[in-house]
Amino acid sequence: MKIKLLLSLCLCMPLTVAFAQSTKSYHVKSPDGKIDLSIAAGTTIRWAAKYQETEVIMPSSISMTLAGGEVLGKNAAVKSSKTSSADEYFNTPLYKKDKVRNQYNQIAINFKGDYSLVFRAYNDGVAYRFITQKKGDITIENEEANFNFKNDDKAFLPFVNDFRNKDKWTTSFEALYDNINISAIKKDTLAFLPVLVDVANPIKAAILEADLENYPGMYLTNDGQNSKNLKGAFAQYPTVEHTGGYANMNYVVNGRANYIAKTAGSRSFPWRVVIISTEDKQLANSDMVQKLSSPSRVADISWIKPGKVAWDWWNDWNISHVDFKAGINNPTYKYYIDFASANKIEYVVLDEGWSSNVDLNQISPEINLSELLDYARQKNVGLILWTSWYALTRQTDAALAKFSAMGVKGFKIDFIDRDDQKMVSSLYDIAQKAADHHLIVDYHGMYKPSGIQRTYPNILNFEGVKGLENLKWGVVNHPGYDVSIPFIRMLSGPMDYTPGAMRNASKTNYRPVNGNPMSQGTRSHQLAMYTIFEAPLQMMADNPTIYTKEQESTDFIAAVPTTFNETVALDGKVGEYVAIARRKGTTWFAGAMTNWDARDLTIDLSFLGEGSYKAIIFEDGVNADKDATDYKRTVSAVTSKDKLTIKLASGGGWAARFEKVN
């Protein structure tokens, strides 16, 4: 018996040695040498990332399962590998800065089975993607994307919590953050991206994706009860759809296939990304998604005009002191157009109600669209039309051609509420067709941008954020959310948060009001959003009557650009406070916000550079803790040598414009 056992062991040993020898290891370091991305390819493919001595991502397996049982990443046999580097700048004319530096080290590993993996190490994070080189089409049954952590770390997680539909993959992508340990994630719950993990003070890791095209978006959940790891989850392809949801405006999924995507066999797949920060403020000025996304497919972008939008829906068309009945009608919209023109606001949006929710050709009898377009043209104001995704996709080509010819400038497309492969592909298709007709797009009711904004720069904004509209119905801690999203959601791109409330409430005085809503936090908190929140197409949520009564605030908002030449993240701590400065030409704009905790901050003006500046500053008034509309406006002379001590009230803010003095 002992002889047989010894013989068995001897026979097994060469196999073990052979397996050990078949595993190949690779390392890619960031250009500054601080991040080490390691890859091991053998029975499985595993990757890990360290920042200096801190293990950010522990060895984590990745693979892609194709129909027929083939698993890319199982028993991986390396054919070849190639390292490369890049250090280049590319222009970003419709962004928070006018150019982005793209500096990285890379390894591309080619495997038997006609696929590759590309790994990149940047100074601020790591990324990898699958590439296939197969003939014909392929079916992806599932993708394995794991993010393993050494400890049971805390994370900021926005969970899918929209229960209007039975399909768990149908969601508005709006949620406050649960700041919990990964092991506390409940079974079968899904968090949508981006997710931020507190790895080891002060190091944080943000998980997101980029260059998402013709493929479902990734969610995260944990990989078992009491697990400290996160794993990707993907919506299967829809097979049964019908109208439903709110006012039958969604296209609801009632059946899904046993695969997540059918696609070309030769293609690149989305980047899986981990941004690594050593200071929270670094997250507020990340360019990672821009760096990893496909360049613009719109050759001429000169017609794309960013700007601000006078918006009707949030304020419930509540204008007053007029001699007509306010509502969804021509007199009301002419009033909005007059307001926009007088304040040099670029656009007015006609939101839900100007037409049928499901047929754009059925225009309300109270609306004469041609007359409004002529009136707006005379006033140098563009009109944007709201539509549900379902209504537009019933007649995409005809609708875009018709309304473009009439002079409409763009569409706000709502109730998308999915990111399965079919929906993602549809949004790329709409963006291309809109660009063909010189139409800008605002994807409301939308998942996070994930790179399409660079590929189609006519898409100027995206929702996928729990914005101001939620205060119509009641939220416990919106100021805390406001100072979280610049470090998390904004990593993916612009946010159609829709700021600008002029009725502002303290924590004790706030109450939800649908028809005449208010915000949580102070007036200066709202003003600061116009600098802090990235939004090339930025809404002004309140009504023209109250903006006219609050002309000082309106003048300040109107002067803030929506794209910039330079951005500097000044200070911040996730969930507590944020301060950002942005430059347009020779003028700087700065904003700061806090959660419900009052605090003092020091703003170092060294970002101003040489010369003297005239500072126009809005800060919380001494009574802002009781009356959140209380603010103080000051004008002073400053230079880059100055440091300003600012006092932020509970839910407070600070907003400034620095005009260079010649």
Side-chain angles (χ1 to χ4, degrees):
M1 186 65 181
K2 289 181 180 179
I3 294 173
K4 287 182 180 179
L5 180 60
L6 182 61
L7 180 61
S8 297
L9 289 171
C10 290
L11 289 171
C12 288
M13 282 177 67
L15 295 176
T16 304
V17 172
F19 167 72
Q21 290 174 340
S22 68
T23 299
K24 294 188 176 181
S25 299
Y26 306 87
H27 285 266
V28 187
K29 285 190 176 269
S30 58
D32 65 7
K34 294 180 179 179
I35 294 176
D36 180 16
L37 172 60
S38 60
I39 307 106
T43 305
T44 61
I45 299 175
R46 295 163 70 84
W47 70 284
K50 290 177 66 175
Y51 182 86
Q52 294 181 331
E53 298 306 313
T54 300
E55 293 171 301
V56 179
I57 301 292
M58 300 295 289
S60 302
S61 58
I62 55 177
S63 67
M64 190 174 280
T65 302
L66 309 187
E70 182 181 3
V71 181
L72 311 183
K74 183 179 180 181
N75 297 322
V78 175
K79 291 170 59 179
S80 63
S81 64
K82 182 180 179 181
T83 59
S84 59
S85 307
D87 190 1
E88 61 190 4
Y89 285 87
F90 59 87
N91 294 328
T92 49
L94 297 167
Y95 189 47
K96 62 189 177 187
K97 56 191 69 170
D98 53 24
K99 60 181 178 294
V100 165
R101 186 181 185 183
N102 190 30
Q103 183 189 24
Y104 60 84
N105 292 324
Q106 172 179 292
I107 186 168
I109 308 173
N110 300 312
F111 298 92
K112 290 181 180 178
D114 299 320
Y115 73 97
S116 324
L117 274 161
V118 177
F119 295 87
R120 283 186 186 175
Y122 291 85
N123 289 339
D124 57 343
V126 297
Y128 75 85
R129 77 188 317 176
F130 276 92
I131 299 174
T132 54
Q133 303 96 12
K134 294 180 176 290
K135 295 179 181 178
D137 292 339
I138 57 175
T139 299
I140 314 295
E141 289 187 351
N142 200 15
E143 179 185 342
E144 179 189 22
N146 289 303
F147 304 87
N148 297 340
F149 297 93
K150 184 176 182 179
N151 302 307
D152 183 15
D153 297 321
K154 268 197 162 186
F156 289 85
L157 298 148
F159 287 108
V160 171
N161 57 9
D162 190 340
F163 304 111
R164 291 174 298 167
N165 307 291
K166 294 181 181 179
D167 177 58
K168 70 177 182 179
W169 306 104
T170 300
T171 176
S172 62
F173 301 93
E174 300 176 38
L176 300 181
Y177 295 104
D178 285 8
N179 187 206
I180 58 174
N181 292 87
I182 293 173
S183 65
I185 297 174
K186 294 180 181 178
K187 184 180 179 182
D188 297 327
T189 56
L190 297 168
F192 51 88
L193 302 181
V195 160
L196 184 63
V197 181
D198 193 350
V199 176
N201 189 36
I203 296 173
K204 290 185 172 67
I207 302 171
L208 59 158
E209 61 186 346
D211 214 20
L212 174 65
E213 181 174 3
N214 193 27
Y215 199 77
M218 184 170 72
Y219 299 76
L220 291 174
T221 186
N222 64 3
D223 64 359
Q225 190 172 7
N226 298 321
S227 169
K228 57 188 179 183
N229 303 323
L230 294 169
K231 68 175 182 178
F234 303 86
Q236 294 89 358
Y237 194 87
T239 55
V240 181
E241 299 166 281
H242 63 86
T243 54
Y246 174 72
N248 282 325
M249 286 191 284
N250 287 97
Y251 209 40
V252 178
V253 178
N254 264 17
R256 292 190 180 273
N258 61 353
Y259 59 86
I260 64 173
K262 282 190 174 181
T263 187
S266 182
R267 62 161 292 180
S268 298
F269 289 86
W271 290 100
R272 308 290 166 225
V273 186
V274 177
I275 298 173
I276 300 170
S277 70
T278 56
E279 292 182 280
D280 287 6
K281 71 177 184 179
Q282 294 167 348
L283 297 166
N285 191 19
S286 173
D287 300 313
M288 188 66 85
V289 168
Q290 285 281 323
K291 292 185 286 193
L292 290 169
S293 298
S294 296
S296 174
R297 294 174 192 166
V298 183
D300 174 20
I301 65 169
S302 61
W303 58 272
I304 302 173
K305 305 296 183 186
K308 286 180 287 296
V309 187
W311 185 35
D312 51 3
W313 181 87
W314 188 79
N315 57 75
D316 203 21
W317 299 266
N318 265 325
I319 59 176
S320 59
H321 299 89
V322 294
D323 57 2
F324 55 85
K325 189 69 173 176
I328 304 171
N329 55 46
N330 271 37
T332 299
Y333 282 118
K334 286 183 178 180
Y335 184 90
Y336 278 80
I337 292 167
D338 288 341
F339 162 75
S341 180
N343 290 279
K344 295 182 172 56
I345 305 303
E346 290 83 356
Y347 298 102
V348 169
V349 65
L350 278 64
D351 212 285
E352 178 188 359
W354 72 271
S355 72
S356 162
N357 288 337
V358 295
D359 187 350
L360 298 181
N361 290 314
Q362 293 184 23
I363 298 176
S364 166
E366 300 296 318
I367 295 291
N368 184 325
L369 189 56
S370 295
E371 180 184 314
L372 284 179
L373 286 163
D374 287 341
Y375 189 78
R377 192 177 300 111
Q378 295 167 23
K379 298 281 187 173
N380 199 30
V381 174
L383 294 190
I384 296 171
L385 302 180
W386 176 95
T387 177
S388 66
W389 172 87
Y390 173 70
L392 182 64
T393 53
R394 291 180 67 195
Q395 49 195 316
T396 306
D397 295 296
L400 295 178
K402 171 185 174 179
F403 291 108
S404 175
M406 291 179 69
V408 170
K409 298 302 182 183
F411 280 92
K412 177 181 177 181
I413 303 170
D414 206 348
F415 290 95
I416 297 162
D417 292 351
R418 287 163 39 195
D419 65 349
D420 49 46
Q421 184 195 22
K422 182 176 181 179
M423 185 59 76
V424 171
S425 297
S426 169
L427 299 189
Y428 272 79
D429 180 61
I430 291 170
Q432 178 64 68
K433 291 176 177 178
D436 291 342
H437 291 286
H438 283 198
L439 291 166
I440 61 173
V441 173
D442 174 9
Y443 277 139
H444 210 64
M446 164 75 173
Y447 58 88
K448 79 282 178 197
S450 299
I452 191 175
Q453 68 272 30
R454 184 182 174 202
T455 311
Y456 287 101
N458 58 310
I459 312 174
L460 290 177
N461 214 349
F462 307 77
E463 196 180 18
V465 65
K466 197 173 182 69
L468 197 70
E469 66 180 12
N470 290 274
L471 290 166
K472 291 164 74 79
W473 313 305
V475 176
V476 175
N477 180 18
H478 225 238
Y481 181 70
D482 297 341
V483 294
S484 299
I485 50 179
F487 308 97
I488 308 174
R489 163 60 182 83
M490 210 161 69
L491 291 169
S492 281
M495 308 185 300
D496 196 11
Y497 178 101
T498 66
M502 294 290 104
R503 287 172 298 278
N504 317 111
S506 63
K507 191 174 185 179
T508 54
N509 292 336
Y510 166 78
R511 66 187 187 282
V513 181
N514 185 66
N516 220 356
M518 64 185 75
S519 72
Q520 289 183 354
T522 68
R523 171 69 56 78
S524 296
H525 187 95
Q526 287 290 308
L527 299 187
M529 292 177 178
Y530 285 89
T531 295
I532 292 173
F533 292 165
E534 183 186 343
L537 190 71
Q538 182 64 282
M539 301 286 167
M540 293 176 65
D542 227 317
N543 71 65
T545 302
I546 194 168
Y547 279 132
T548 302
K549 290 178 180 176
E550 299 287 349
Q551 195 63 49
E552 270 193 343
S553 295
T554 303
D555 289 344
F556 183 86
I557 292 170
V560 181
T562 61
T563 60
F564 298 87
N565 302 116
E566 184 180 356
T567 288
V568 177
L570 301 175
D571 200 359
K573 187 172 176 60
V574 181
E576 296 186 17
Y577 65 94
V578 62
I580 294 175
R582 306 189 196 273
R583 178 180 60 82
K584 187 75 166 185
T586 60
T587 302
W588 281 90
F589 301 82
M593 299 188 299
T594 183
N595 57 12
W596 282 127
D597 296 331
R599 71 182 74 242
D600 293 350
L601 291 181
T602 298
I603 303 296
D604 186 334
L605 299 184
S606 58
F607 61 85
L608 292 175
E610 295 182 358
S612 299
Y613 288 80
K614 174 185 174 183
I616 298 95
I617 296 173
F618 284 71
E619 55 191 317
D620 295 326
V622 294
N623 296 304
D625 58 332
K626 295 182 178 180
D627 178 358
T629 66
D630 186 31
Y631 70 87
K632 180 181 179 182
R633 179 183 181 273
T634 59
V635 179
S636 61
V638 297
T639 71
S640 61
K641 297 178 181 179
D642 290 321
K643 293 182 179 181
L644 305 180
T645 299
I646 63 174
K647 293 184 177 295
L648 302 176
S650 173
W654 175 88
R657 182 171 75 250
F658 301 96
E659 300 172 350
K660 194 161 190 177
V661 178
N662 293 324

